[in-house]
Amino acid sequence: MCGITGYVGAREASEVILQGLHTLEYRGYDSAGIAAFANGNLAVVKAVGKVQNVEEKVKALGTLNGAHCGIGHTRWATHGAPSDINSHPHGNERIQIVHNGIIENYAPLRAMLQKNGYTFVSETDTEVAAKLIDYHYANCHDRADALIAAMRDIVGSYAIAVLFADCPDTLYAIRKDNPLIVGVGEGESFVASDIAAVLRYTKNYYQLGDHQLAVVTKDRVSILDMEKTPVEHELLTATWSIEAAERGGYAHFMIKEIGEEPEAIEKTLRPRIKDMLPCFEEEGLDDSRLAGIKSVTFVACGTAMHAGLVGKTVIEKLCRVPVNVEIASEFRYNDPILNKDDLVVIISQSGETADSLAALRLAKEKGAYTLGIVNVIGSTIAREADDVIYTWAGPEISVASTKAYTVQISLLYLLSIRMALAMGKLTEDAARSYTRTLYEDMPRIVREAIALEDEVAEAAALFCDYEDLFFIGRGIDYHLAMEGSLKLKEISYIHSEAYAAGELKHGTISLITEDMPVIALATTSPLYEKMISNIREVKARGAEVLLITREGAKDAADEAKKVIYLPNCSELFSAIPLATILQLLAYHVAAKRGCDIDKPRNLAKSVTVE
Ligand code: F6R
């Protein structure tokens, strides 16, 4: 949410920063701006709209030409509508900053600064932070002290990169609860929200910790704590390649990332399989720990929460322990009841989602054992959870999450098998047989699901002109319906509801008419006949039905306008190819409607505000 990048070195700063902002645009795209030292001046260029707009302005004005030190920002508005004025950077002739996060106490800080003679031109909390740092600097005459004083004053979350006009070759950065890395190159340095922004220049970086301050010149990085004591940090090396973070020849990141699912599943499962059994010992999850678990709570947001619902179905089926799935923004304020034998699993692609992070901290406070299932290495949730299992999905740039979800659910299947084995609910032979099917078959089966793309695109044509539709399913299919519905809403702007098929007749069936098509998911054999009855009920009210079911499902073709058959696979794991098909469906509906698929309106990836 909001992308920050900064550069100091021999290259043309505005070019490096613009490049970084294009890469970070998935984090926010309603306005952008750059500040840099050019010809001895601290120059600022900003514009409402996508990074492209500020890029054109930078070229047209030429005021940043020759700058070798600067900061940039692409915004997802929180305080103040998207506009030139509200775009970052903010500040005055002495200081410019870019900010990601929310300054919760910006109103009293603003009032205090106004009393001290400051005026404000924007509606943003960021301008308050900029002037607060300036106020402290004017009083203490020490840049690090001023930043530390500001950190003491600010309540909220922030990653902030700063330029001081009287220090033209240095980037300063501070953070709390928002990601910020410092990239280290040969005679050049970077700051960024995400390593992807600087991958074309360096793979080496430091992860700034909470309440830390980075002082960055072209050949030196110092990281200090609130007492100005230097902090030792491990220099990390990104495993992602620049190609992985770029679109290649694909029309959208979303379709590229769906295409990466088979490989991502394989990559995630392989290191956790020994002797064809799941093994999480390297992650700290040995059998004695797993065997003692009395209940599991998944906490996450959006798509990651939907992955937790799949985890619930599978763990309850294989392990027979109760599983709750909680929306992180609710969990954190609901005073949850947790004990030390409870496992709390935080699922997060970014590892930075504000509500999920708060939920993790609360679960730890309550004494539960916490496990992060996270994609981004070194992210805050990954660092703070008692243990972490990384989903090796590679960078996910599309705002709509696809491969991260498919990999999360694949991993949850593997974890469930190990838990069931540790709890004595599965024999070694049965666990081995499930593991083999998951590991050896799923990448191929997801490839087969992707090969159905043309057929899915045909089905998409049936729905793209409607403004409302329903997804229905039972059991695990209902949970997949929720994810399919979210994906479709998010990128195509079609309003859709996901309903437990048996619940429709308790009220909502009144909405079913010939103008309300229904996508029915029926991949669970014991529930198939029940689903067929529900399909007949909606057809009787005029609805067109797309049925997604298993190969060989009885009389399926007679029941729906169109049927998509899943590739033949073990029923336990059919959620995995079903997820891929639903993602392709959402993609093709959105493509036919001409939507901006990778950057849906009002959204941003990595939701680091509450
Ligand atoms: C939807 C989507 C979001 C995220 C949610 C959690 O396609 O991407 O619903 O799943 O914002 O994000 P993470 O997984 O980064 O915590």
Side-chain angles (χ1 to χ4, degrees):
M1 205 153 252
C2 298
I4 289 177
T5 182
Y7 175 75
V8 52
R11 297 175 206 262
E12 191 68 34
S14 62
E15 279 173 22
V16 178
I17 291 166
L18 282 164
Q19 189 88 57
L21 293 183
H22 278 298
T23 309
L24 292 178
E25 219 175 353
Y26 67 92
R27 301 178 68 91
Y29 32 84
D30 57 43
S31 54
I34 300 182
F37 293 102
N39 308 314
N41 294 319
L42 188 46
V44 178
V45 179
K46 42 196 197 175
V48 71
K50 296 199 169 138
V51 172
Q52 172 86 32
N53 295 4
V54 86
E55 181 162 26
E56 283 161 14
K57 211 162 162 182
V58 165
K59 284 195 183 126
L61 293 172
T63 47
L64 302 179
N65 290 352
H68 296 290
C69 178
I71 53 177
H73 188 262
T74 176
R75 179 170 185 246
W76 185 86
T78 57
H79 293 60
S83 68
D84 284 358
I85 288 283
N86 288 335
S87 315
H88 301 206
H90 286 285
N92 54 26
E93 63 289 356
R94 293 179 295 277
I95 182 175
Q96 288 290 324
I97 77 165
V98 291
H99 164 225
N100 175 14
I102 289 187
I103 313 290
E104 287 171 13
N105 59 339
Y106 81 101
L109 289 174
R110 188 179 167 122
M112 180 279 283
L113 290 165
Q114 277 167 332
K115 266 193 207 140
N116 283 279
Y118 283 88
T119 54
F120 292 86
V121 293
S122 77
E123 300 158 76
T124 64
D125 52 345
T126 303
E127 190 182 357
V128 174
K131 291 180 178 170
L132 179 69
I133 298 167
D134 184 57
Y135 165 78
H136 285 300
Y137 188 35
N139 286 333
C140 70
H141 310 292
D142 181 285
R143 289 178 283 274
D145 284 339
L147 289 164
I148 289 166
M151 281 199 272
R152 289 194 204 286
D153 287 345
I154 293 173
V155 177
S157 66
Y158 50 84
I160 296 178
V162 187
L163 294 181
F164 288 96
D166 59 2
C167 190
D169 53 3
T170 307
L171 304 170
Y172 287 81
I174 53 176
R175 79 150 243 172
K176 180 181 167 273
D177 292 342
N178 263 279
L180 202 71
I181 63 111
V182 181
V184 182
E186 289 284 323
E188 57 185 357
S189 306
F190 309 80
V191 295
S193 305
D194 179 332
I195 182 67
V198 303
L199 266 185
R200 69 179 56 240
Y201 309 104
T202 183
K203 287 190 163 192
N204 298 327
Y205 66 103
Y206 297 108
Q207 191 95 18
L208 201 62
D210 274 352
H211 290 125
Q212 290 181 354
L213 155 69
V215 186
V216 182
T217 64
K218 67 183 174 39
D219 33 38
R220 192 178 149 76
V221 176
S222 317
I223 300 180
L224 309 174
D225 65 14
M226 298 279 278
E227 271 66 54
K228 282 197 353 192
T229 310
V231 183
E232 283 296 315
H233 268 280
E234 188 191 348
L235 187 63
L236 303 169
T237 302
T239 50
W240 297 347
S241 67
I242 180 65
E243 292 74 30
E246 288 185 341
R247 197 147 47 84
Y250 290 87
H252 300 99
F253 275 109
M254 182 175 176
I255 196 72
K256 172 178 181 255
E257 288 165 5
I258 294 172
E260 288 165 352
E261 287 177 0
E263 197 192 333
I265 293 172
E266 214 260 324
K267 235 173 123 185
T268 296
L269 297 181
R270 193 192 324 121
R272 280 88 188 214
I273 296 177
K274 293 216 170 77
D275 189 21
M276 211 33 92
L277 285 172
C279 177
F280 292 93
E281 276 177 10
E282 272 186 25
E283 279 94 357
L285 280 83
D286 56 29
D287 279 359
S288 56
R289 171 152 258 176
L290 293 176
I293 290 168
K294 297 280 180 287
S295 84
V296 180
T297 302
F298 287 105
V299 191
C301 303
T303 288
M305 188 275 288
H306 293 159
L309 290 169
V310 173
K312 170 183 168 72
T313 311
V314 184
I315 292 177
E316 288 187 342
K317 183 181 171 73
L318 297 184
C319 308
R320 305 305 299 154
V321 293
V323 181
N324 301 311
V325 181
E326 303 273 352
I327 295 168
S329 54
E330 291 295 313
F331 176 87
R332 62 184 292 191
Y333 296 115
N334 279 353
D335 195 11
I337 303 160
L338 293 169
N339 297 301
K340 66 171 182 24
D341 293 331
D342 296 330
L343 168 64
V344 174
V345 185
I346 311 289
I347 307 175
S348 177
Q349 188 286 127
S350 62
E352 302 290 352
T353 301
D355 286 318
S356 305
L357 177 59
L360 165 68
R361 289 176 179 163
L362 178 66
K364 283 180 80 171
E365 237 174 75
K366 298 218 168 224
Y369 162 51
T370 58
L371 172 67
I373 295 189
V374 176
N375 195 40
V376 177
I377 298 152
S379 55
T380 313
I381 293 174
R383 283 183 286 128
E384 292 195 15
D386 293 317
D387 289 307
V388 59
I389 307 179
Y390 282 114
T391 51
W392 299 106
E396 191 180 66
I397 309 289
S398 163
V399 166
S401 184
T402 55
K403 63 175 175 172
Y405 171 79
T406 318
V407 168
Q408 283 159 357
I409 62 176
S410 303
L411 193 60
L412 288 170
Y413 275 111
L414 196 70
L415 182 62
S416 312
I417 298 169
R418 185 75 225 186
M419 280 175 67
L421 180 64
M423 290 171 173
K425 300 283 169 46
L426 274 184
T427 63
E428 214 171 275
D429 280 354
R432 197 168 271 124
S433 156
Y434 281 139
T435 309
R436 178 169 287 115
T437 308
L438 180 65
Y439 176 59
E440 291 184 350
D441 293 357
M442 278 311 123
R444 173 183 52 79
I445 285 165
V446 171
R447 231 167 258 127
E448 288 170 14
I450 293 170
L452 296 175
E453 185 172 353
D454 288 348
E455 207 184 317
V456 176
E458 264 176 47
L462 299 176
F463 298 104
C464 60
D465 294 327
Y466 287 93
E467 291 308 320
D468 304 276
L469 63 76
F470 263 71
F471 280 83
I472 59 171
R474 287 170 176 261
I476 201 164
D477 287 330
Y478 170 44
H479 299 149
L480 269 288
M482 291 168 76
E483 175 55 12
S485 170
L486 170 61
K487 213 94 304 177
L488 185 80
K489 284 186 268 225
E490 181 180 10
I491 60 168
S492 76
Y493 315 141
I494 293 179
H495 163 245
S496 95
E497 301 259 356
Y499 240 73
E503 184 67 8
L504 267 187
K505 62 176 90 55
H506 297 287
T508 325
I509 202 162
S510 63
L511 289 171
I512 304 289
T513 64
E514 62 280 7
D515 294 326
M516 181 69 80
V518 173
I519 299 175
L521 312 182
T523 72
T524 316
S525 302
L527 298 170
Y528 182 71
E529 294 300 336
K530 307 269 172 227
M531 276 302 297
I532 293 299
S533 305
N534 297 134
I535 290 171
R536 290 184 183 153
E537 286 159 12
V538 296
K539 275 194 338 186
R541 273 115 191 131
E544 303 266 33
V545 175
L546 166 67
L547 170 60
I548 307 180
T549 186
R550 298 176 58 73
E551 229 176 58
K554 199 166 135 251
D555 301 331
D558 301 333
E559 301 294 348
K561 172 141 186 174
K562 173 142 183 83
V563 184
I564 295 176
Y565 294 98
L566 287 189
N568 203 359
C569 76
S570 148
E571 188 156 328
L572 180 66
F573 302 120
S574 59
I576 302 174
L578 178 55
T580 306
I581 286 174
L582 293 172
Q583 293 160 358
L584 287 171
L585 185 66
Y587 176 82
H588 281 286
V589 171
K592 286 184 198 312
R593 288 166 69 92
C595 298
D596 190 351
I597 292 181
D598 282 337
K599 298 189 190 98
R601 71 181 174 218
N602 303 340
L603 284 170
K605 206 161 181 76
S606 189
V607 184
T608 50
V609 296
E610 219 189 293

